[in-house]
Amino acid sequence: MATSVYRAGSAAGKAFFCARSPALFCLKRNRSAVSYAQSLGNIPETQISALDNGLRVASEESGQPTCTVGVWISAGSRYENEKNNGAGYFLEHLAFKGTKKRPQTALEQEVESIGAHLSTYTTREQTAIYIKAQSKDLPKAVEILADVVQNKSLEDSQIEKTRELVLREIQELDSNLQEVTFDYLHATAYQGTPLGLTVVGPTENLKKFTRADLLEYVNLHYKAPRMVLAAAGGVNHKELCDLAQRHFGGLSSEYEDGVIPVLSPCRFTGSALSARNDDLPLAHVAIAVEGPGWNSTDNVALALANTIISNYDATYGGGKNLSSNVARTSAEYNLCQSFQAFNIRYSDTGLFGVHFVTDKHKIEDVLHVAQGEWMRLCTSVTDGELAQAKKNLKNALVAQLDGTTPVCEDIGRQVLAYGQRISLEEWNSRIDAVNTKALRDICSKYLYDRCPAVASVGPVEQVPDYNRIRSAMYWLRF
């Protein structure tokens, strides 16, 4: 049954990868440009509708034999407090424990009988439940999805089974040092605010959640205006709207006692947090400044900046011939095992930074190189670097939408965040509009002389004092 029903992993530290076909190098330059432009024009339009209760329905029809359909909900740890932190993550796991109509065994058998996959994940601002199936089984997939979202089994026996599962998962997550580092980064950067809470929540909460606690969370957050039904692949938008009306039309849009959950402002605090453990072989370190929220136009320039910084792993080939300055230096002097640039975005704020894994004696060296590259982006990035970054970013945007599930996820996340889905053609235009001066100005706005947040895990005794790290966020030039 594990092949049919599973939980999707966290996307906190995803990096762009793009594959290039050798055949592309045989094409003439102008022909490649035309083919790329034509391919953007041939991407199907994303259609968006809304039901009377406020639930939005969005889809992209590509005529494929398979489809992915899911519900994206404005619910996550940012909507929680210290008392109920982890409730959203707990409820996500209850999706696999059956519904009032379908016991767990019946749900698993029904999903498996149509060759489908049921998956879920929770982030700080969004929860997703989605199914990948054959296009002909779209009606059944939507019906199962609606049942899972609206009629979760909240029986005491299922809650106890889920509790045991989640507590075991927490033990496994504690061994994922990258996830732990990013949790610490949020804890120090957004200390005292909901964004500083973890998605999974503390063990103390998970041990005492009751049916009443979970029901209260569902009644507050699982409302039609806070949901998007998204689909991609072989789906017809009108059929999807009809299915949505049939299965989600009765979903409530009214809040008890008029209490509407809203996002409280989360202040960013430049600070540092370390969890020293000299028994670990390598140190994990993340450094970040406050970035923009989802709707900021500055995100395009910052994406180009991260593309210039790029990512690196010691298993990569290329060495001193790598295009990224940080990667080239890391390979040439064996500075780290890996690093990646990231830009984690939320509704009104974000974290723009670098995460790296290195030997305990080289932490300061990697920080010096990474912060030096930030300052160079603010002052002296070149036209050639920007032109190459634009090509790489465009390729990455196309490559990450390979398959119905990534496209469906992109639709769901964007419609929740923007109220629309921005097309690749529009992203292309925004990327082309960034010039070198604009890139330097925007990097200076977020990086130059800003207080960073730093989190480190492992043998981190040699992480520099925060004042030294802060002093590297500007250059004294004469």
Side-chain angles (χ1 to χ4, degrees):
M1 195 57 242
T3 59
S4 297
V5 180
Y6 62 94
R7 181 181 178 275
S10 170
K14 286 182 181 177
F16 282 145
F17 295 93
C18 58
R20 296 182 181 180
S21 169
L24 291 178
F25 293 104
C26 300
L27 298 173
K28 294 181 180 179
R29 183 180 297 274
N30 61 345
R31 185 176 175 187
S32 296
V34 170
S35 298
Y36 180 75
Q38 287 177 337
S39 67
L40 291 180
N42 290 333
I43 293 176
E45 177 187 2
T46 300
Q47 301 181 67
I48 302 176
S49 304
L51 303 185
D52 292 339
N53 60 5
L55 183 136
R56 286 160 289 179
V57 182
S59 69
E60 176 187 293
E61 183 176 1
S62 58
Q64 297 184 38
T66 61
C67 69
T68 301
V69 58
V71 176
W72 272 256
I73 310 167
S74 291
S77 59
R78 188 175 178 183
Y79 292 94
E80 298 167 0
N81 52 50
E82 292 185 357
K83 180 182 177 182
N84 69 352
N85 182 209
Y89 186 80
F90 198 101
L91 278 165
E92 168 207 322
H93 286 68
L94 275 172
F96 304 116
K97 298 303 181 183
T99 68
K100 297 173 184 177
K101 177 181 176 182
R102 296 177 170 89
Q104 181 177 357
T105 302
L107 174 64
E108 292 174 349
Q109 290 176 346
E110 194 162 357
V111 171
E112 190 175 57
S113 69
I114 60 174
H117 297 268
L118 173 65
S119 308
T120 66
Y121 67 82
T122 301
T123 67
R124 282 176 166 81
E125 289 189 346
Q126 296 182 2
T127 296
I129 304 172
Y130 57 96
I131 296 178
K132 184 174 178 66
Q134 296 184 64
S135 298
K136 64 182 181 64
D137 294 319
L138 177 65
K140 174 59 70 175
V142 173
E143 194 265 325
I144 293 174
L145 196 63
D147 193 29
V148 169
V149 170
Q150 300 175 79
N151 302 306
K152 284 186 177 66
S153 174
L154 295 178
E155 297 177 2
D156 291 339
S157 59
Q158 296 295 352
I159 291 175
E160 290 307 315
K161 289 180 182 178
T162 302
R163 196 189 316 277
E164 293 176 7
L165 172 63
V166 172
L167 290 173
R168 285 198 304 270
E169 274 196 12
I170 286 184
Q171 294 177 345
E172 296 174 6
L173 288 172
D174 286 342
S175 64
N176 185 335
L177 296 184
Q178 178 174 315
E179 292 292 332
V180 171
T181 304
F182 275 97
D183 279 343
Y184 280 140
L185 182 64
H186 282 80
T188 192
Y190 296 108
Q191 52 190 276
T193 74
L195 271 181
L197 303 175
T198 64
V199 173
V200 298
T203 302
E204 297 76 30
N205 284 2
L206 298 172
K207 286 181 176 179
K208 63 185 182 182
F209 278 141
T210 64
R211 183 179 186 278
D213 296 328
L214 300 174
L215 193 58
E216 180 183 4
Y217 188 91
V218 169
N219 290 337
L220 184 61
H221 297 285
Y222 282 48
K223 300 295 184 180
R226 303 174 60 81
M227 296 185 183
V228 173
L229 177 67
V235 296
N236 177 274
H237 186 71
K238 184 179 184 306
E239 179 187 9
L240 183 65
C241 289
D242 292 341
L243 290 169
Q245 182 61 48
R246 185 185 314 160
H247 299 295
F248 289 93
L251 191 62
S252 173
S253 60
E254 298 180 357
Y255 297 89
E256 295 181 6
D257 302 323
V259 178
I260 301 176
V262 294
L263 289 174
S264 57
C266 291
R267 67 182 182 279
F268 178 92
T269 303
S271 53
L273 179 61
S274 292
R276 182 178 172 182
N277 184 348
D278 291 339
D279 293 331
L280 296 173
L282 297 170
H284 285 249
V285 182
I287 178 172
V289 294
E290 183 176 18
W294 275 103
N295 290 304
S296 173
T297 56
D298 294 341
N299 279 306
V300 176
L302 292 177
L304 288 167
N306 268 350
T307 304
I308 293 173
I309 297 171
S310 190
N311 57 76
Y312 168 77
D313 190 279
T315 59
Y316 288 2
K320 64 181 181 180
N321 297 311
L322 293 168
S323 61
S324 161
N325 288 333
V326 183
R328 185 168 58 251
T329 305
S330 298
E332 191 169 355
Y333 297 100
N334 192 27
L335 291 184
C336 63
Q337 291 295 308
S338 65
F339 79 81
Q340 65 178 34
F342 60 85
N343 184 15
I344 304 172
R345 292 173 292 172
Y346 299 109
S347 296
D348 54 354
T349 185
L351 291 174
F352 179 85
V354 175
H355 165 264
F356 60 88
V357 182
T358 188
D359 179 79
K360 62 182 179 181
H361 298 297
K362 297 180 179 178
I363 296 173
E364 188 169 1
D365 292 334
V366 183
L367 278 172
H368 174 75
V369 171
Q371 290 183 274
E373 183 69 357
W374 276 354
M375 296 303 99
R376 195 186 67 81
L377 288 171
C378 297
T379 57
S380 51
V381 65
T382 66
D383 292 336
E385 287 177 306
L386 178 58
Q388 185 61 48
K390 288 182 177 182
K391 294 176 184 177
N392 292 343
L393 182 57
K394 289 176 183 178
N395 286 339
L397 288 173
V398 173
Q400 71 174 351
L401 297 180
D402 183 18
T404 61
T405 299
V407 172
C408 183
E409 182 179 5
D410 189 57
I411 294 171
R413 287 188 296 107
Q414 286 204 40
V415 174
L416 267 188
Y418 302 126
Q420 61 174 326
R421 188 190 182 200
I422 301 175
S423 67
L424 281 179
E425 198 167 9
E426 174 62 22
W427 284 124
N428 223 44
S429 300
R430 295 184 185 186
I431 291 170
D432 287 335
V434 178
N435 56 35
T436 308
K437 182 180 183 304
L439 180 60
R440 288 197 296 261
D441 290 345
I442 291 173
C443 285
S444 295
K445 176 181 176 181
Y446 291 97
L447 291 168
Y448 202 85
D449 201 18
R450 299 296 178 183
C451 296
V454 185
S456 52
V457 177
V460 294
E461 180 185 9
Q462 296 195 28
V463 172
D465 177 76
Y466 182 80
N467 290 320
R468 289 187 60 192
I469 297 174
R470 176 64 179 86
S471 68
M473 296 300 292
Y474 58 87
W475 280 349
L476 295 176
R477 314 187 87 184
F478 299 94

